[in-house]
Amino acid sequence: MSPDTLIAHFVGASALILVAAHAAGWAARKLKQPYIVGQLTAGIALGPSLLGSAAPGAYETLFPEEIGTALTGFAQFALVVFLFAVGYELDLKLLGNRARTAVAVAAASFVVPMAVGGGCALLFWERLRALGMPRDPSPSIVVFAGIALSVTAVPVLTAIVRENGLARTAPGVVAVSAAGLLDVVCWTVLAGALMENGGDHALGWPWRVVIAAGFVTVMLLGARPLLRRLLWRTRMEPSLRMALLIGFALGSAWVTHSLGLHVIFGALLAGVVTPREPDDRLDPDLLRPLHDVSSLLLPFFFVISGQTVVLNGMGATGWVAVLVVTALAAVTKIGSGAVAARWGGLDRHDARTVGILMSARGLTELIALNAGLQAGLLSDRLYSVLVFMALATTLSTQPLLLLTRRLAERGPGGRTNDPTDLPPPPAERDDTRTAPVADLG
């Protein structure tokens, strides 16, 4: 294929991806579902299982193998920008006077799904082999199975909390705070799993752990004060500031990728070490363009994710696995989160709301699954199973919230969640976050 033809194919495929994904996201929001549901559905529809089966000629014309690298590059760039913004917005000061409850919910929402996921992987390994997994489970695969059930998507959870009027209620604040803590734990454990997996990396995993720890130390103790001095003491134009920080995030992502980790870890770390404004306020001139860029380009990630989903090869075993894994994912997260919240002092209705919110997965789950697939910790068919689990748990969050609200209204006194004097979450304290981007999470 000539360069001109290749460029023409890439431009045409990009146009289709952007229009189809954003149209599907708009339709999903009209149905009161997160943006991600529509966009991932569009990605699966444009993949080999649906478009490739219904119109193989059109699929090969639109998505020839030669443009796969370019599409993947756009997807990775979008992930770096998105996760840089997520790391920049991460604020554990939100814990406030509900710190004990939030820590308990985060710990339970990690330990219980982690134990169930890893235990089931070992117990039912013969069944997983039927989905293309290797003969013997490695420690990294077992750990990753637990992580797949433990993830909660902070951006989509924040959007759901805000849209349901829970932003200043006890369950809303506890859920968002716990999800932020859980994010830190899950990404750290996932980094360890990918590091231990190693593959054919030139350096052994102990050396890479040492280098990674040194890199994190340099970023926290060196890059953060340097950025603070550069960003606060110079009157840099917003466009130049954004270009500098995106370049910083890309460089950090390159380092972690070179260490055998995924680019997502470098992007998150870059966002975490980027200082806020002197008054601890998020910079709106930075957040708006970051959200715009990631919202525009994330459909490339959804298409790459969707094209890996193999509907045709699922078989009866695969669909049974979807049902079982989805049930385990929902029960472990909702149950552990609700019990921990009840132990922390919330009444049964508020505790149930916290558990349901903690079960929302969204884009964060897809990013983790994609990293596991690239590291060889998942087969294509098990990856497909877990993608459908992520979709199902995300779709069920809103209906379950409505159900628990009705149960609360029918309870003694017809009580509903009343606003509290708790501090609002970051999304409410800073109105620069846009709803479409939050919905992507």
Side-chain angles (χ1 to χ4, degrees):
M1 187 180 292
S2 68
D4 288 342
T5 306
L6 190 63
I7 291 172
H9 276 288
F10 177 75
V11 170
S14 299
L16 177 62
I17 288 169
L18 291 175
V19 172
H22 283 290
W26 174 84
R29 191 181 293 128
K30 288 295 181 182
L31 296 173
K32 299 190 181 301
Q33 289 294 339
Y35 212 71
I36 174 187
V37 171
Q39 293 204 318
L40 183 59
T41 302
I44 294 173
L46 292 175
S49 297
L50 292 181
L51 179 61
S53 298
Y59 176 76
E60 291 176 5
T61 301
L62 288 168
F63 300 106
E65 290 184 8
E66 290 84 350
I67 69 169
T69 302
L71 292 176
T72 302
F74 265 69
Q76 296 299 307
F77 179 83
L79 277 185
V80 168
V81 175
F82 175 79
L83 288 167
F84 173 71
V86 169
Y88 179 61
E89 292 178 289
L90 185 64
D91 185 10
L92 298 183
K93 294 177 183 176
L94 175 64
L95 292 173
N97 60 356
R98 290 283 179 177
R100 191 189 72 164
T101 306
V103 170
V105 170
S109 296
F110 174 75
V111 172
V112 175
M114 188 79 183
V116 171
C120 287
L122 292 172
L123 191 60
F124 300 107
W125 188 254
E126 289 301 318
R127 304 288 177 89
L128 294 179
R129 286 182 60 191
L131 294 174
M133 295 299 285
R135 181 174 180 177
D136 297 310
S138 69
S140 294
I141 291 176
V142 175
V143 170
F144 188 84
I147 294 172
L149 296 192
S150 303
V151 170
T152 295
V154 176
V156 75
L157 184 151
T158 305
I160 292 172
V161 163
R162 185 175 59 248
E163 290 167 5
N164 284 273
L166 299 172
R168 297 205 59 170
T169 64
V173 171
V174 167
V176 173
S177 304
L181 287 171
L182 183 61
D183 240 17
V184 174
V185 176
C186 284
W187 289 123
T188 303
V189 175
L190 179 58
L194 297 182
M195 188 80 74
E196 192 274 338
N197 189 55
D200 57 355
H201 201 278
L203 291 173
W205 72 265
W207 280 108
R208 287 184 287 127
V209 168
V210 171
I211 296 173
F215 176 64
V216 171
T217 302
V218 169
M219 290 285 280
L220 292 173
L221 301 182
R224 187 178 183 86
L226 181 62
L227 284 173
R228 185 183 291 116
R229 187 176 298 109
L230 181 64
L231 298 178
W232 290 2
R233 295 186 181 179
T234 61
R235 297 190 174 276
M236 194 178 295
E237 294 181 5
S239 58
L240 181 58
R241 172 182 290 198
M242 185 185 70
L244 171 69
L245 290 175
I246 289 181
F248 172 63
L250 290 169
S252 178
W254 174 79
V255 171
T256 56
H257 178 75
S258 300
L259 292 173
L261 294 170
H262 200 280
V263 297
I264 55 180
F265 300 105
L268 274 169
L269 179 60
V272 168
V273 304
T274 298
R276 298 185 173 207
E277 295 296 281
D279 57 358
D280 200 35
R281 183 176 56 89
L282 296 170
D283 181 4
D285 291 330
L286 174 62
L287 277 181
R288 287 194 185 99
L290 285 176
H291 287 167
D292 290 342
V293 171
S294 60
S295 177
L296 177 68
L297 295 181
L298 273 173
F300 288 93
F301 174 75
F302 291 119
V303 167
I304 295 298
S305 300
Q307 287 188 331
T308 315
V309 173
V310 227
L311 290 176
N312 302 336
M314 289 277 286
T317 303
W319 291 114
V320 170
V322 170
L323 295 176
V324 172
V325 171
T326 301
L328 284 174
V331 170
T332 55
K333 290 289 276 189
I334 295 174
S336 61
V339 170
R342 191 81 176 96
W343 176 82
L346 300 187
D347 64 46
R348 67 179 185 278
H349 298 298
D350 286 350
R352 196 181 300 135
T353 299
V354 170
I356 292 168
L357 289 170
M358 294 301 292
S359 185
R361 284 170 172 84
L363 178 57
T364 307
E365 176 79 20
L366 294 180
I367 294 171
L369 295 180
N370 187 266
L373 180 66
Q374 291 183 15
L377 301 178
L378 291 175
S379 64
D380 287 346
R381 279 188 287 174
L382 185 55
Y383 170 82
S384 302
V385 167
L386 293 172
V387 166
F388 282 114
M389 176 274 289
L391 272 177
T393 51
T394 305
L395 277 167
S396 63
T397 302
Q398 187 66 32
L400 288 175
L401 281 177
L402 294 176
L403 176 62
T404 196
R405 180 176 294 175
R406 288 175 183 172
L407 291 174
E409 290 170 352
R410 292 175 184 174
R415 188 192 62 79
T416 58
N417 290 322
D418 295 322
T420 69
D421 58 355
L422 294 172
E428 184 170 318
R429 281 185 287 165
D430 186 275
D431 60 3
T432 58
R433 181 194 291 272
T434 59
V437 174
D439 286 352
L440 285 171

